[in-house]
Amino acid sequence: MKLVISSVLAMCGLAMGSFAGEPAIDPPKAWPFVALGDVKPPEVQHADRVSNGIDKFILARLEDKGLSLAPQASPRTLVRRVYFDLIGLPPTPAEVESFVSDADPRAYEKLVDKLLADTRYGERWARFWLDLARYADTAGYEGDPDLPNAWRYRDYVIDSFNQDKPYDEFIIDQIAGDETEDVMGAGDLPKPKPEPTVALTFLRLAPFTEPRGDASRHELLSEMTSTVSSVFLGLTIGCAQCHDHKYDRIPTKDFYRMKAFFSTVAIPRPAEGDAFQLGGPIPAEFYRHGEKEWAAKLTAQRHDELKKQRTVIEEIEKIEEAGKRADPRVDLTEEQGQRLKEAKGRFRFLEQDILRLQPYAMSLRHSYGPPYEPGVPESRVMIRGEWNHPGEVVEAGFPSVIAGHQDPATIRLDPFKRWPTRSRRLALAEWIVSSDNPMTARVMVNRLWGWHFGRGIVATPSDFGKLGGGASHPELLDWMARQFTASKWSVKAMHRLILNSQTYRQSSKHTDPQAEEADPENLLFWHFRSRRLEAEAVRDAVLAVSGRLNPEQFGLPIFPPLPEGVAEAVSWDEGKWNTQDGPEGRKRSIYIYQQRSMTMPLMQTFDSVVCDGTRDRRQNSTTPFQALTMYNGRFANEEARHFAVRIRQEGGDSLAAQIPLAFKIALGREPAPEESERMRALAVSTTAGDGLAAICRVLLNTNEFVYVH
């Protein structure tokens, strides 16, 4: 019977534990679960096209098929590509001309270094990470309640990219930032530092609904387990919650062994008056330079305005009450009613801002353990994933598909064993970034590659399993992963490596019939893949060329104007959208309030939706709505008019000077003679009265404006 069961399990691709204590027999591990190989870049024929090891790996595969790299893109194309890739904004005409005219052989490398040092780099690249972290400013579900301190995590991520925080530290911060300090004495636990306290928001960003006791805790910890595994390990361990993984060697037991690392997580009780019972925040002093003073100043301003709005409300309500008692009854005038509605709405928004400006983080901690709080709970496999159907007891351990065994993890305790609930998440985080785990470096390098090239070496960045289809260049991925760890986990070092390669600098316009037949999907990277800008970059680019982008960084979420009626129509209550028509609403798109029950329509049109779960790739659609939004939408038309004002201010009143300047600002180049003539004809024929604004609107609607080539 035992042999029959073993055979059946072996056919299903599952390892079997022993019945009598003998060790389980696993098949040998295969890529990507093996250790990083000591791979050397291969020799190639066209050494003149090699800038670094990346090119050797790419060229070797191409040369095997009789192919080669595409020619290098033109300087104007390249400077625009690099600006959008690294800071998410178009270069100014002066920046384009400076690069094009720079005769230094290292001009391109200097440009890459300059943009990596630009603080706008963090704003660009943090957005990619926030997608993975399922970031939002609201909790989702019914009522979609506000998460007032979530914005501090967004700023932490921007800072981390700008400061090139080593990726291993970045991971530990977000999984176990409160457990890193050694506890060697018998005293109380050290108070966690503010920055890692904010970083731990990562674990709490899942959508949250009305709590239902043990069932909700099971869901909460299971979501943490699934997210950590997919984001950092590139494994869909969450698929094993109810049954053994159907495709990868991940048994259900491994899901619950990994979940056991989170078993002592403690979330503060809900704040007083929290009808949604979301769980409270944790104190975290403002730690960024000048942030404490900024928050204090803004809080004082909000309190002053709150008093003014309270006065307005009290005055009008007195009039209303007097009118109710009058005979005949006297109702408020339409103007008074509108003033009262606006004052009450503004009062509510001010109260929420004051809450956001308190020195707290939406964080978590570990249970203090006996005798103060419960100790380490018994972890069990939950049969069919049901919270109230416990099965086998398990201990915290690492995924066997990577570790090669199901031994319990070693949890480092303090010498006096006073805090048995501490350090479980730290044990997991330290293993994730250890040399024993080859997945972490592979997964992050693949994400960086995919964000630069539009497709990863593994096409499914959060799933390195069988359904991912494997890697197009596994040796290259391993070589880059080794470069990553050798650089002390520097993300900026990997940007330099990728962007300085000839592979990245290829033209996207190159045609090669032989290559198109041999590799129609460009899986071998024989040319650069053109791609549409993400929604945030589209909006930011429009504001940049109109001259109205607010460069202020960090801080509270912003609320740009919405199409008429949208803010009221999508909300169950009085609405959360505190519309800002002034400069504060024109900051970069990463600061837009992320409301799970409503995505800002402009952003949604270009495939940016507020995350309910971790998202490693966005859709890249082309729809009529995009053209209609950019041609007829309020935002595009308003900015086109301001773009025209900018052109007049910088280029004068001559159409002959205005048209080339508009092209340089919007597209980074001079217009062709035919384009100049057509734009001139458009300006003359425009019946709306502003031919220059019509030209600007057309430029914002070109593929060249919204695509990186």
Side-chain angles (χ1 to χ4, degrees):
M1 180 66 177
K2 177 180 173 182
L3 292 176
V4 172
I5 294 174
S6 298
S7 300
V8 171
L9 290 175
M11 286 189 293
C12 294
L14 301 173
M16 177 182 169
S18 70
F19 282 89
E22 63 267 27
I25 300 173
D26 273 333
K29 291 194 292 184
W31 196 93
F33 306 116
V34 293
L36 293 174
D38 187 14
V39 187
K40 304 295 183 185
E43 295 301 318
V44 296
Q45 300 170 23
H46 296 87
D48 58 312
R49 294 303 310 276
V50 172
S51 289
N52 58 39
I54 288 175
D55 300 323
K56 289 187 175 183
F57 285 102
I58 297 295
L59 266 171
R61 291 287 304 279
L62 290 173
E63 290 175 351
D64 284 347
K65 293 184 176 292
L67 307 176
S68 62
L69 293 173
Q72 184 167 298
S74 71
R76 291 185 185 276
T77 298
L78 207 52
V79 66
R80 187 173 174 84
R81 180 189 300 175
V82 175
Y83 263 81
F84 272 115
D85 253 15
L86 289 183
I87 65 171
L89 293 169
T92 66
E95 289 167 335
V96 172
E97 297 308 321
S98 174
F99 175 71
V100 170
S101 62
D102 192 341
D104 186 340
R106 294 192 64 257
Y108 175 77
E109 288 83 352
K110 290 191 305 182
L111 176 64
V112 170
D113 288 343
K114 169 191 166 185
L115 295 178
L116 286 173
D118 193 312
T119 56
R120 295 173 295 178
Y121 157 80
E123 293 177 313
R124 165 67 166 166
W125 281 83
R127 181 63 263 176
F128 293 121
W129 188 263
L130 294 181
D131 278 6
L132 290 172
R134 69 263 192 255
Y135 176 80
D137 291 297
T138 62
Y141 295 105
E142 184 175 358
D144 196 19
D146 192 71
L147 304 175
N149 310 112
W151 65 271
R152 295 192 65 188
Y153 174 77
R154 174 247 293 154
D155 283 1
Y156 159 81
V157 176
I158 294 173
D159 266 339
S160 295
F161 276 98
N162 274 336
Q163 296 165 3
D164 200 19
K165 181 188 283 283
Y167 185 60
D168 57 344
E169 293 181 20
F170 186 59
I171 291 173
I172 291 172
D173 274 358
Q174 295 175 84
I175 298 177
D178 59 331
E179 296 186 333
T180 56
E181 193 166 337
D182 288 338
V183 177
M184 303 306 294
D188 193 9
L189 289 170
K191 183 178 179 181
K193 295 177 181 177
E195 184 174 358
T197 300
V198 171
L200 283 166
T201 300
F202 173 84
L203 293 176
R204 286 193 61 187
L205 283 172
F208 192 90
T209 188
E210 167 186 342
R212 299 181 306 281
D214 289 340
S216 291
R217 182 166 179 82
H218 169 68
E219 293 169 2
L220 185 77
L221 302 189
S222 295
E223 195 280 338
M224 290 180 190
T225 306
S226 300
T227 297
V228 166
S229 65
S230 63
V231 170
F232 300 115
L233 301 176
L235 291 178
T236 54
I237 289 178
C239 292
Q241 180 177 344
C242 305
H243 50 72
D244 290 349
H245 201 292
K246 296 298 185 184
Y247 300 97
D248 301 326
R249 291 195 300 120
I250 306 173
T252 301
K253 182 177 179 179
D254 274 12
F255 175 85
Y256 290 97
R257 291 171 63 245
M258 188 165 170
K259 181 184 171 188
F261 286 111
F262 300 99
S263 63
T264 59
V265 160
I267 294 174
R269 67 174 297 279
E272 187 175 348
D274 178 6
F276 295 99
Q277 302 290 290
L278 296 178
I282 287 179
E285 286 297 328
F286 293 111
Y287 60 88
R288 300 183 61 255
H289 178 69
E291 192 174 36
K292 185 175 182 179
E293 295 76 16
W294 163 83
K297 180 179 178 181
L298 203 55
T299 300
Q301 291 175 354
R302 296 295 191 261
H303 276 294
D304 287 344
E305 190 176 349
L306 205 61
K307 292 177 183 177
K308 295 176 183 177
Q309 298 300 333
R310 183 182 288 111
T311 299
V312 172
I313 293 169
E314 290 173 351
E315 288 177 352
I316 297 178
E317 285 183 340
K318 284 180 181 178
I319 296 172
E320 186 177 34
E321 285 300 316
K324 289 178 181 179
R325 293 192 298 268
D327 188 15
R329 176 188 175 116
V330 179
D331 293 325
L332 294 176
T333 65
E334 183 176 344
E335 180 186 357
Q336 289 170 330
Q338 184 63 28
R339 282 185 63 208
L340 181 60
K341 179 181 177 182
E342 290 176 357
K344 285 183 175 180
R346 184 60 183 156
F347 190 91
R348 184 164 49 86
F349 291 136
L350 290 167
E351 285 186 315
Q352 194 63 24
D353 267 4
I354 291 170
L355 193 59
R356 292 187 181 113
L357 289 164
Q358 301 309 301
Y360 287 92
M362 195 178 79
S363 190
L364 46 73
R365 59 176 175 83
H366 51 77
S367 166
Y368 272 87
Y372 317 105
E373 294 177 346
V376 179
E378 186 177 68
S379 293
R380 290 178 175 269
V381 172
M382 295 299 175
I383 299 172
R384 292 189 295 275
E386 297 171 351
W387 68 271
N388 57 352
H389 197 172
E392 172 188 4
V393 174
V394 295
E395 294 186 62
F398 311 122
S400 58
V401 70
I402 302 173
H405 58 76
Q406 290 189 333
D407 298 339
T410 300
I411 311 295
R412 184 193 66 182
L413 299 178
D414 62 282
F416 294 87
K417 296 183 173 53
R418 178 170 286 188
W419 313 107
T421 55
R422 190 175 189 266
S423 300
R424 299 177 78 79
R425 284 177 285 113
L426 182 62
L428 174 61
E430 288 183 337
W431 174 81
I432 286 175
V433 302
S434 74
S435 58
D436 294 334
N437 171 25
M439 295 300 295
T440 305
R442 282 190 182 113
V443 169
M444 186 55 176
V445 164
N446 186 64
R447 293 194 194 282
L448 295 172
W449 182 278
W451 286 327
H452 279 304
F453 285 97
R455 184 189 187 278
I457 294 171
V458 174
T460 50
S462 292
D463 184 4
F464 273 51
K466 290 182 180 178
L467 289 183
S472 62
H473 298 74
E475 296 85 2
L476 170 58
L477 194 57
D478 277 16
W479 180 79
M480 292 177 65
R482 276 190 170 271
Q483 302 298 309
F484 189 28
T485 56
S487 71
K488 298 181 179 179
W489 299 89
S490 167
V491 172
K492 288 188 178 182
M494 299 314 297
H495 285 303
R496 288 189 184 91
L497 185 66
I498 293 171
L499 269 63
N500 284 324
S501 69
Q502 291 294 324
T503 303
Y504 177 83
R505 293 190 241 183
Q506 292 180 97
S507 170
S508 63
K509 305 291 186 182
H510 180 62
T511 57
D512 182 340
Q514 182 182 351
E516 289 171 358
E517 182 177 353
D519 182 26
E521 297 298 320
N522 193 31
L523 302 183
L524 300 179
F525 301 99
W526 57 271
H527 68 87
F528 190 80
R529 185 188 301 256
S530 294
R531 65 183 187 277
R532 202 203 69 225
L533 295 173
E534 300 86 0
E536 291 84 358
V538 171
R539 176 180 173 273
D540 294 352
V542 170
L543 288 168
V545 301
S546 76
R548 299 219 305 160
L549 181 65
N550 181 349
E552 182 184 344
Q553 297 182 318
F554 306 106
L556 300 181
I558 66 167
F559 301 83
L562 296 171
E564 291 182 9
V566 172
E568 295 81 6
V570 298
S571 182
W572 291 100
D573 55 16
E574 297 175 273
K576 299 177 179 64
W577 202 266
N578 181 19
T579 302
Q580 297 166 318
D581 292 302
E584 64 273 21
R586 296 196 296 273
K587 289 174 64 175
R588 291 196 67 172
S589 301
I590 191 171
Y591 301 110
I592 292 175
Y593 185 71
Q594 299 291 288
Q595 183 175 335
R596 282 197 162 111
S597 60
M598 182 199 72
T599 298
M600 187 177 170
L602 171 68
M603 312 304 285
Q604 186 170 8
T605 300
F606 285 96
D607 303 315
S608 173
V609 295
V610 183
C611 305
D612 283 334
T614 179
R615 178 177 56 179
D616 57 13
R617 291 164 296 167
R618 293 188 182 182
Q619 288 185 322
N620 197 349
S621 66
T622 303
T623 71
F625 293 111
Q626 292 164 359
L628 291 169
T629 296
M630 291 297 286
Y631 200 76
N632 295 327
R634 169 186 167 183
F635 170 73
N637 274 271
E638 182 175 355
E639 296 310 317
R641 288 192 292 272
H642 286 283
F643 186 11
V645 170
R646 176 185 176 184
I647 297 298
R648 289 192 185 93
Q649 291 173 342
E650 297 181 17
D653 296 327
S654 167
L655 200 58
Q658 292 171 345
I659 292 174
L661 180 58
F663 269 76
K664 287 179 182 178
I665 292 173
L667 307 179
R669 64 172 178 85
E670 292 268 3
E674 180 186 0
E675 290 173 323
S676 293
E677 186 55 41
R678 293 178 68 180
M679 289 298 179
R680 191 175 295 109
L682 172 65
V684 172
S685 65
T686 298
T687 57
D690 191 343
L692 183 56
I695 290 172
C696 292
R697 183 169 63 166
V698 167
L699 290 175
L700 298 182
N701 277 270
T702 59
N703 278 349
E704 192 174 350
F705 183 77
V706 296
Y707 273 77
V708 171
H709 294 288

